[in-house]
Amino acid sequence: MRAVSLMQTIESKKWSYVLYKDSNDYYLSVMCGSVGLYEVAIHLNEVESQHYFERGKDYISKLATSIKNSPSSYDFRNIKDFRSMANGGVRLAPWHANDESVP
C-alpha cells in the first residue's frame, strides 16, 4: 500500500480559508459562496509567497477575502481537482478544521 502524505496546514481561519504547504509550494483554499458553498484553491505565485513571508497571516487573510469577494476573478487559477491532485491523492486536512484537530 502506497503511503499517503498530508500537506502541512500553515494558517487557517475556520469556515474561511486554509493555507497549505507542500515542499516549497503554498496553496490557499478559500470557502466561497453563501447559499451554496464551494472551494476555490490557488497555488501562490512567487510574488504572493514573498508577500506572505513579509506580511504573514494578515496578507493571507486579505488575499482570501479578495478571492471570497470575487471568486470568478480567480477562475483561471482555481485548481479544480485540488483535493486529489498532488502525487495522485495527497490527503488534506478538512478546510474547516481548527488547528487543534489537524493531525
Side-chain angles (χ1 to χ4, degrees), residues 59-79:
Y59 173 75
I60 292 301
S61 182
K62 288 178 182 177
L63 179 57
T65 298
S66 175
I67 294 169
K68 185 174 184 166
N69 289 341
S70 184
S72 62
S73 298
Y74 293 86
D75 275 350
F76 71 102
R77 295 182 60 192
N78 187 16
I79 304 168

mmCIF file of all heavy atoms in Angstrom, residues 59-79:
data_model
loop_
_atom_site.group_PDB
_atom_site.id
_atom_site.type_symbol
_atom_site.label_atom_id
_atom_site.label_comp_id
_atom_site.label_asym_id
_atom_site.label_seq_id
_atom_site.Cartn_x
_atom_site.Cartn_y
_atom_site.Cartn_z
ATOM 1 N N TYR A 59 -1.578 39.166 5.351
ATOM 2 C CA TYR A 59 -1.615 39.144 3.890
ATOM 3 C C TYR A 59 -2.512 38.011 3.387
ATOM 4 O O TYR A 59 -3.333 38.210 2.484
ATOM 5 C CB TYR A 59 -0.208 38.994 3.293
ATOM 6 C CG TYR A 59 -0.271 38.798 1.802
ATOM 7 C CD1 TYR A 59 -0.561 39.871 0.968
ATOM 8 C CD2 TYR A 59 -0.123 37.537 1.238
ATOM 9 C CE1 TYR A 59 -0.681 39.692 -0.403
ATOM 10 C CE2 TYR A 59 -0.232 37.353 -0.127
ATOM 11 C CZ TYR A 59 -0.508 38.430 -0.943
ATOM 12 O OH TYR A 59 -0.646 38.247 -2.295
ATOM 13 N N ILE A 60 -2.370 36.829 3.978
ATOM 14 C CA ILE A 60 -3.170 35.680 3.541
ATOM 15 C C ILE A 60 -4.652 35.941 3.789
ATOM 16 O O ILE A 60 -5.503 35.623 2.956
ATOM 17 C CB ILE A 60 -2.700 34.386 4.245
ATOM 18 C CG1 ILE A 60 -1.294 34.011 3.756
ATOM 19 C CG2 ILE A 60 -3.683 33.243 4.024
ATOM 20 C CD1 ILE A 60 -1.171 33.778 2.252
ATOM 21 N N SER A 61 -4.968 36.535 4.908
ATOM 22 C CA SER A 61 -6.359 36.860 5.219
ATOM 23 C C SER A 61 -6.938 37.824 4.186
ATOM 24 O O SER A 61 -8.077 37.654 3.730
ATOM 25 C CB SER A 61 -6.448 37.460 6.622
ATOM 26 O OG SER A 61 -7.776 37.736 6.955
ATOM 27 N N LYS A 62 -6.164 38.829 3.798
ATOM 28 C CA LYS A 62 -6.626 39.781 2.780
ATOM 29 C C LYS A 62 -6.756 39.123 1.412
ATOM 30 O O LYS A 62 -7.714 39.400 0.678
ATOM 31 C CB LYS A 62 -5.681 40.987 2.721
ATOM 32 C CG LYS A 62 -5.818 41.879 3.935
ATOM 33 C CD LYS A 62 -4.853 43.040 3.903
ATOM 34 C CE LYS A 62 -5.019 43.860 5.177
ATOM 35 N NZ LYS A 62 -4.074 44.964 5.243
ATOM 36 N N LEU A 63 -5.831 38.247 1.070
ATOM 37 C CA LEU A 63 -5.914 37.527 -0.206
ATOM 38 C C LEU A 63 -7.143 36.617 -0.209
ATOM 39 O O LEU A 63 -7.887 36.567 -1.198
ATOM 40 C CB LEU A 63 -4.642 36.720 -0.452
ATOM 41 C CG LEU A 63 -4.590 35.901 -1.744
ATOM 42 C CD1 LEU A 63 -4.804 36.779 -2.977
ATOM 43 C CD2 LEU A 63 -3.262 35.147 -1.833
ATOM 44 N N ALA A 64 -7.393 35.933 0.897
ATOM 45 C CA ALA A 64 -8.571 35.062 0.997
ATOM 46 C C ALA A 64 -9.853 35.879 0.859
ATOM 47 O O ALA A 64 -10.799 35.451 0.178
ATOM 48 C CB ALA A 64 -8.558 34.306 2.321
ATOM 49 N N THR A 65 -9.895 37.052 1.462
ATOM 50 C CA THR A 65 -11.068 37.928 1.347
ATOM 51 C C THR A 65 -11.266 38.363 -0.091
ATOM 52 O O THR A 65 -12.398 38.386 -0.590
ATOM 53 C CB THR A 65 -10.927 39.146 2.268
ATOM 54 O OG1 THR A 65 -10.858 38.685 3.630
ATOM 55 C CG2 THR A 65 -12.095 40.098 2.125
ATOM 56 N N SER A 66 -10.177 38.674 -0.773
ATOM 57 C CA SER A 66 -10.253 39.063 -2.184
ATOM 58 C C SER A 66 -10.831 37.929 -3.026
ATOM 59 O O SER A 66 -11.685 38.152 -3.893
ATOM 60 C CB SER A 66 -8.860 39.445 -2.687
ATOM 61 O OG SER A 66 -8.873 39.712 -4.061
ATOM 62 N N ILE A 67 -10.372 36.711 -2.768
ATOM 63 C CA ILE A 67 -10.874 35.544 -3.506
ATOM 64 C C ILE A 67 -12.350 35.318 -3.189
ATOM 65 O O ILE A 67 -13.163 35.093 -4.084
ATOM 66 C CB ILE A 67 -10.036 34.294 -3.186
ATOM 67 C CG1 ILE A 67 -8.617 34.469 -3.726
ATOM 68 C CG2 ILE A 67 -10.688 33.033 -3.752
ATOM 69 C CD1 ILE A 67 -7.630 33.417 -3.247
ATOM 70 N N LYS A 68 -12.700 35.402 -1.917
ATOM 71 C CA LYS A 68 -14.087 35.167 -1.499
ATOM 72 C C LYS A 68 -15.037 36.209 -2.092
ATOM 73 O O LYS A 68 -16.151 35.890 -2.497
ATOM 74 C CB LYS A 68 -14.182 35.191 0.029
ATOM 75 C CG LYS A 68 -15.543 34.849 0.544
ATOM 76 C CD LYS A 68 -15.547 34.740 2.056
ATOM 77 C CE LYS A 68 -16.923 34.296 2.520
ATOM 78 N NZ LYS A 68 -16.920 33.872 3.898
ATOM 79 N N ASN A 69 -14.589 37.461 -2.166
ATOM 80 C CA ASN A 69 -15.430 38.543 -2.683
ATOM 81 C C ASN A 69 -15.561 38.525 -4.197
ATOM 82 O O ASN A 69 -16.520 39.070 -4.744
ATOM 83 C CB ASN A 69 -14.905 39.901 -2.224
ATOM 84 C CG ASN A 69 -15.124 40.138 -0.752
ATOM 85 O OD1 ASN A 69 -15.956 39.496 -0.116
ATOM 86 N ND2 ASN A 69 -14.369 41.071 -0.186
ATOM 87 N N SER A 70 -14.606 37.911 -4.887
ATOM 88 C CA SER A 70 -14.643 37.877 -6.348
ATOM 89 C C SER A 70 -14.046 36.567 -6.866
ATOM 90 O O SER A 70 -13.008 36.573 -7.545
ATOM 91 C CB SER A 70 -13.879 39.076 -6.913
ATOM 92 O OG SER A 70 -13.988 39.114 -8.310
ATOM 93 N N PRO A 71 -14.687 35.443 -6.547
ATOM 94 C CA PRO A 71 -14.113 34.151 -6.944
ATOM 95 C C PRO A 71 -13.939 33.991 -8.451
ATOM 96 O O PRO A 71 -13.003 33.329 -8.899
ATOM 97 C CB PRO A 71 -15.086 33.122 -6.375
ATOM 98 C CG PRO A 71 -16.319 33.869 -6.041
ATOM 99 C CD PRO A 71 -15.943 35.298 -5.830
ATOM 100 N N SER A 72 -14.806 34.618 -9.237
ATOM 101 C CA SER A 72 -14.688 34.477 -10.689
ATOM 102 C C SER A 72 -13.395 35.106 -11.210
ATOM 103 O O SER A 72 -12.888 34.705 -12.245
ATOM 104 C CB SER A 72 -15.904 35.080 -11.390
ATOM 105 O OG SER A 72 -16.001 36.460 -11.117
ATOM 106 N N SER A 73 -12.849 36.063 -10.479
ATOM 107 C CA SER A 73 -11.577 36.676 -10.876
ATOM 108 C C SER A 73 -10.411 35.696 -10.745
ATOM 109 O O SER A 73 -9.334 35.934 -11.281
ATOM 110 C CB SER A 73 -11.284 37.906 -10.019
ATOM 111 O OG SER A 73 -12.274 38.884 -10.208
ATOM 112 N N TYR A 74 -10.629 34.613 -10.012
ATOM 113 C CA TYR A 74 -9.578 33.618 -9.790
ATOM 114 C C TYR A 74 -9.869 32.304 -10.501
ATOM 115 O O TYR A 74 -9.155 31.321 -10.293
ATOM 116 C CB TYR A 74 -9.401 33.386 -8.281
ATOM 117 C CG TYR A 74 -8.840 34.593 -7.583
ATOM 118 C CD1 TYR A 74 -9.677 35.612 -7.142
ATOM 119 C CD2 TYR A 74 -7.474 34.744 -7.385
ATOM 120 C CE1 TYR A 74 -9.170 36.747 -6.517
ATOM 121 C CE2 TYR A 74 -6.956 35.864 -6.756
ATOM 122 C CZ TYR A 74 -7.815 36.865 -6.328
ATOM 123 O OH TYR A 74 -7.299 37.976 -5.714
ATOM 124 N N ASP A 75 -10.905 32.288 -11.345
ATOM 125 C CA ASP A 75 -11.268 31.055 -12.061
ATOM 126 C C ASP A 75 -10.102 30.455 -12.830
ATOM 127 O O ASP A 75 -9.907 29.241 -12.820
ATOM 128 C CB ASP A 75 -12.428 31.302 -13.032
ATOM 129 C CG ASP A 75 -13.786 31.193 -12.373
ATOM 130 O OD1 ASP A 75 -13.861 30.748 -11.213
ATOM 131 O OD2 ASP A 75 -14.771 31.571 -13.024
ATOM 132 N N PHE A 76 -9.311 31.297 -13.475
ATOM 133 C CA PHE A 76 -8.207 30.792 -14.298
ATOM 134 C C PHE A 76 -7.103 30.170 -13.440
ATOM 135 O O PHE A 76 -6.292 29.396 -13.948
ATOM 136 C CB PHE A 76 -7.639 31.902 -15.191
ATOM 137 C CG PHE A 76 -6.872 32.965 -14.452
ATOM 138 C CD1 PHE A 76 -5.489 32.968 -14.446
ATOM 139 C CD2 PHE A 76 -7.538 33.977 -13.756
ATOM 140 C CE1 PHE A 76 -4.780 33.945 -13.768
ATOM 141 C CE2 PHE A 76 -6.840 34.960 -13.093
ATOM 142 C CZ PHE A 76 -5.463 34.945 -13.084
ATOM 143 N N ARG A 77 -7.105 30.464 -12.145
ATOM 144 C CA ARG A 77 -6.088 29.901 -11.246
ATOM 145 C C ARG A 77 -6.643 28.795 -10.350
ATOM 146 O O ARG A 77 -5.877 28.126 -9.655
ATOM 147 C CB ARG A 77 -5.516 31.003 -10.354
ATOM 148 C CG ARG A 77 -4.750 32.045 -11.144
ATOM 149 C CD ARG A 77 -4.152 33.086 -10.258
ATOM 150 N NE ARG A 77 -3.216 32.514 -9.308
ATOM 151 C CZ ARG A 77 -2.732 33.187 -8.268
ATOM 152 N NH1 ARG A 77 -3.095 34.427 -8.051
ATOM 153 N NH2 ARG A 77 -1.887 32.616 -7.438
ATOM 154 N N ASN A 78 -7.947 28.632 -10.351
ATOM 155 C CA ASN A 78 -8.576 27.659 -9.464
ATOM 156 C C ASN A 78 -8.140 26.239 -9.839
ATOM 157 O O ASN A 78 -8.254 25.828 -10.989
ATOM 158 C CB ASN A 78 -10.095 27.783 -9.533
ATOM 159 C CG ASN A 78 -10.807 26.911 -8.520
ATOM 160 O OD1 ASN A 78 -10.203 26.431 -7.563
ATOM 161 N ND2 ASN A 78 -12.083 26.710 -8.729
ATOM 162 N N ILE A 79 -7.644 25.520 -8.872
ATOM 163 C CA ILE A 79 -7.220 24.138 -9.080
ATOM 164 C C ILE A 79 -8.447 23.262 -8.826
ATOM 165 O O ILE A 79 -8.806 22.981 -7.679
ATOM 166 C CB ILE A 79 -6.073 23.761 -8.127
ATOM 167 C CG1 ILE A 79 -4.902 24.732 -8.303
ATOM 168 C CG2 ILE A 79 -5.640 22.313 -8.366
ATOM 169 C CD1 ILE A 79 -3.849 24.626 -7.217
#
